[in-house]
Amino acid sequence: MSQLLPQALLTAIDEIGKLPGVGARTAERYAYYLLRANQSSNEKLARAITALGSGVSYCPKTFALVDADQEISPLYTDPSRDKTLVAVVEEPLDIIALERTGQFRGTYHVLGGAISPIDGIGPEQLHIPELLNRIAEDTVEELIIATNSSVEGESTALFLQRQIEEQGISIKMSRLARGLPVGVDLEYADQITLSHALEGRRIL
């Protein structure tokens, strides 16, 4: 293909293909779309990508994403937020999913990932010490462990529970309910989902 396409286009395809979830064919389509797009649109996209490094920062308290000129996340400083209730999530974008429900008025703590030895991510790479500090500083009464329903998410939740118990911290810990999504047949449900659905069954 190197003899069939210009080098600039090949370079664009290669870089786009490095994005997660983007295969070779998709990268080719994206690159060709950008080639045909208005130059002004491409420049706006380039500026937006460049601005990510300087325009986005992390809240040192919650590790949520904030504008670079903000010190603390508004989700923490908002006086209507209950600081004694903390939802622990893996990544900053997980906050959006919970916020969309309109049901949660506590604060958040982003771990920055989940324990995954195969990916070289251990507890020391996560914001667990900062969470333990917050529990004391904000007199947290309940932790909602909202890590993903995956092997890594479950391992992280269990590790957090053990850490808190070993520290002798008296606090209520809860886990987001797990179960079968509406419209999913049993035969297509994975083992973890089915296990949680059985554990969380309700009396009719």
Side-chain angles (χ1 to χ4, degrees):
M1 187 170 64
S2 61
Q3 296 177 349
L4 302 176
L5 296 176
Q7 185 57 50
L9 183 56
L10 287 172
T11 300
I13 292 171
D14 184 54
E15 293 303 317
I16 293 171
K18 294 177 182 177
L19 296 172
V22 178
R25 291 293 297 163
T26 301
E28 290 172 7
R29 286 195 295 270
Y30 285 170
Y32 187 56
Y33 169 82
L34 293 172
L35 176 65
R36 293 179 298 164
N38 183 283
Q39 184 65 25
S40 175
S41 298
N42 285 344
E43 289 174 356
K44 287 180 181 179
L45 176 60
R47 286 196 296 270
I49 294 173
T50 302
L52 282 175
S54 59
V56 180
S57 186
Y58 290 91
C59 168
K61 196 79 173 177
T62 65
F63 298 95
L65 296 175
V66 295
D67 288 324
D69 58 356
Q70 287 182 315
E71 291 186 11
I72 304 293
S73 171
L75 294 173
Y76 182 81
T77 57
D78 185 345
S80 68
R81 292 274 174 176
D82 182 2
K83 291 186 175 63
T84 68
L85 177 62
V86 178
V88 181
V89 297
E90 292 181 21
E91 301 291 352
L93 294 183
D94 294 336
I95 293 174
I96 297 174
L98 290 175
E99 282 297 291
R100 282 175 178 159
T101 67
Q103 302 294 312
F104 184 67
R105 296 306 301 169
T107 58
Y108 297 92
H109 189 87
V110 181
L111 294 173
I115 297 173
S116 177
I118 195 171
D119 296 317
I121 302 175
E124 60 277 2
Q125 272 86 49
L126 306 181
H127 299 299
I128 295 175
E130 294 88 346
L131 174 61
L132 298 178
N133 289 338
R134 276 190 66 187
I135 292 173
E137 292 173 2
D138 293 337
T139 319
V140 176
E141 297 176 359
E142 179 181 356
L143 283 183
I144 301 175
I145 303 178
T147 52
N148 293 330
S149 183
S150 62
V151 173
E152 294 80 9
E154 295 295 329
S155 297
T156 304
L158 183 59
F159 181 84
L160 278 175
Q161 182 180 350
R162 287 176 176 170
Q163 280 287 295
I164 290 171
E165 290 173 351
E166 289 174 3
Q167 298 266 343
I169 299 172
S170 178
I171 187 174
K172 179 182 178 182
M173 284 184 284
S174 59
R175 190 89 166 92
L176 287 182
R178 301 285 197 259
L180 295 170
V182 175
V184 173
D185 294 337
L186 283 180
E187 62 180 306
Y188 299 117
D190 61 271
Q191 185 176 354
I192 293 177
T193 300
L194 278 174
S195 296
H196 285 301
L198 283 170
E199 292 170 3
R201 64 189 185 278
R202 295 180 300 169
I203 301 298
L204 298 177

